[in-house]
Amino acid sequence: MNRGQFGPSGQTPIWPEPVRGFYTDPGQFVTLSGLDLLRSLLEGGLGPPIRYLFGLELSSVEPGGVTFTMPVTDWLLFPQGVVSGATLGILVDAPLGCAVQTALPPATPFTTAEISLRFLRTVAPRSGVLTAKSRLIHAGQTTGVSLVEVTDEAGRLVAVTSTRCAILPRVEVPWEVVEQALKNPPRPREPDWPSPHPYERPVAGEVLPQEIWDDTDGLGVLQSLIAGDLAAPPIAHFCGIAPVDAQTGTTTWKMPASEWLCAPVQGRLYGGAIAMLAGTAIDGAVQTTLPAGTAFGPVDLKVYFLRPVSPDGRDLVARGTVIHRGRSIAIGTSDVFDADGKKVAVATGSAVILPGRPATVTTELTLPDLTRSQDDGEAWPRTSS
């Protein structure tokens, strides 16, 4: 078994396990407003598969805003020992969309068109439980816009995010269907699960020691992970996200489109999971340009969603490319494809380059003074192949 992907022999990945979770009941969707539907979900205490995988919890609902929380567990760690900014897509996609949903009448679907994230502080394990509070900005006939602020357990602002949702035409449903749904509302109950939820289990995988980052350039680290010469990090064991190719300025990553990564809409992968993969490919591409002893910190990420993804268990593939690498700032793009080769998302992102900083950056990042850096004229550092 490839140590770089699955860890010690006999370690069973989480994503092929039987999935846990509940989807939106069609009867409730056509009879309840978006606000009442969310209130019923809060009262019932149940959630979709993504909730049971990551611990993503709906904690409050009000007109024009909802709040979600998510614990920062060691399962979320990348080789640097931090939670990547792209992983915050898992937390923020739900409250961003649900803020728009609170303004919608019954039987009105919507879909996320794009998500923008601005990172203010690196998330480390000591961040505790993250809180994402959303606010509706606009809900028209065809477009919804909302904002989310993410704070850590100490109340420090971690990220600010926004979304644009496409509001789709109301679904026409015969009255007899609505009447039947009103008479027989669902009453699901939390079953006795045979084991702890994935995020509650003992963590597999390893964070790389600082000595490796001091002695090996970013490209060398990624290529060693791909070859299995270095142990895979916890996030790879958790949801299967892993690099499969790395060259200077480019990386390719894969992640199984597992049903564990689904939100309340059955048969559709959660947009936040796609955003995580897209951002990881950009981060990986930036990493390939770094000499030994150099850290980086993501600054922002914007993801456009092009088509829905079915949770068929096959691999999504993301290809990241650095399009600018200066002395202080790197900018990258990524394309995400489904297993049939169809493009499902595109993303852009930037990162600040931090020479001499430990790989694990656990303090708030301050952008360099670009007016003095002559950033545009800087060539990439040389990296080994």
Side-chain angles (χ1 to χ4, degrees):
M1 185 174 290
N2 188 328
R3 187 168 179 257
Q5 292 184 28
F6 300 114
S9 179
Q11 176 70 45
T12 303
I14 288 172
W15 58 92
E17 290 183 13
V19 73
R20 303 174 184 182
F22 302 84
Y23 296 105
T24 299
D25 177 75
Q28 286 195 306
F29 175 72
V30 300
T31 57
L32 299 179
S33 68
L35 179 61
D36 288 338
L37 179 58
L38 288 169
R39 283 172 169 165
S40 71
L41 294 175
L42 177 63
E43 182 181 353
L46 306 177
I50 197 77
R51 175 218 166 179
Y52 293 92
L53 181 62
F54 283 89
L56 184 65
E57 292 277 0
L58 175 62
S59 61
S60 72
V61 177
E62 58 188 27
V66 302
T67 300
F68 278 78
T69 61
M70 186 176 76
V72 179
T73 71
D74 285 353
W75 278 115
L76 305 183
L77 298 181
F78 276 75
Q80 292 88 342
V82 297
V83 179
S84 76
T87 304
L88 293 183
I90 298 291
L91 171 59
V92 303
D93 186 25
L96 285 168
C98 289
V100 173
Q101 189 176 0
T102 65
L104 301 182
T108 305
F110 70 99
T111 187
T112 302
E114 53 94 359
I115 291 179
S116 297
L117 303 97
R118 174 83 177 191
F119 310 117
L120 306 178
R121 183 182 296 271
T122 299
V123 178
R126 65 173 179 268
S127 301
V129 175
L130 299 180
T131 299
K133 186 175 180 62
S134 66
R135 176 164 57 95
L136 178 66
I137 301 301
H138 169 76
Q141 289 188 334
T142 60
T143 302
V145 177
S146 66
L147 302 176
V148 160
E149 292 186 347
V150 180
T151 54
D152 64 15
E153 201 162 87
R156 299 174 299 183
L157 191 61
V158 170
V160 291
T161 71
S162 64
T163 192
R164 175 175 57 85
C165 293
I167 300 172
L168 305 177
R170 184 170 178 172
V171 177
E172 296 299 328
V173 182
W175 167 247
E176 54 269 23
V177 174
V178 174
E179 185 177 35
Q180 185 65 22
L182 290 170
K183 288 181 180 178
N184 299 286
R187 294 179 176 85
R189 294 183 178 180
E190 191 87 35
D192 249 344
W193 303 110
S195 61
H197 301 315
Y199 71 94
E200 299 172 317
R201 300 176 191 173
V203 175
E206 299 178 25
V207 170
L208 300 181
Q210 183 60 38
E211 292 77 19
I212 291 177
W213 301 102
D214 290 339
D215 297 337
T216 312
D217 60 32
L219 177 60
V221 169
L222 274 175
Q223 289 178 336
S224 294
L225 285 167
I226 293 167
D229 297 330
L230 293 174
I235 191 73
H237 293 265
F238 193 57
C239 58
I241 190 168
V244 294
D245 184 68
Q247 307 297 326
T248 303
T250 65
T251 55
T252 302
W253 294 70
K254 68 175 183 178
M255 183 178 71
S258 163
E259 192 179 356
W260 281 103
L261 298 174
C262 282
V265 179
Q266 190 167 13
R268 178 172 295 187
L269 212 70
Y270 183 55
I274 299 171
M276 179 176 69
L277 177 61
T280 299
I282 294 174
D283 291 347
V286 172
Q287 182 181 327
T288 66
T289 72
L290 302 180
T294 303
F296 75 100
V299 173
D300 54 31
L301 174 66
K302 185 161 189 173
V303 184
Y304 294 91
F305 302 100
L306 307 180
R307 54 167 47 89
V309 176
S310 172
D312 57 13
R314 297 186 297 165
D315 283 341
L316 288 170
V317 174
R319 300 189 180 102
T321 303
V322 173
I323 59 173
H324 169 76
R325 169 64 161 88
R327 180 180 291 114
S328 304
I329 292 289
I331 300 171
T333 64
S334 67
D335 297 321
V336 183
F337 301 88
D338 65 16
D340 296 320
K342 295 178 180 178
K343 189 179 293 188
V344 300
V346 296
T348 61
S350 65
V352 60
I353 309 302
L354 302 164
R357 293 285 293 274
T360 300
V361 180
T362 57
T363 57
E364 187 169 348
L365 299 176
T366 302
L367 291 179
D369 183 358
L370 299 183
T371 62
R372 298 190 302 166
S373 69
Q374 299 295 316
D375 196 68
D376 289 340
E378 182 71 11
W380 292 5
R382 296 182 67 180
T383 54
S384 65
S385 57

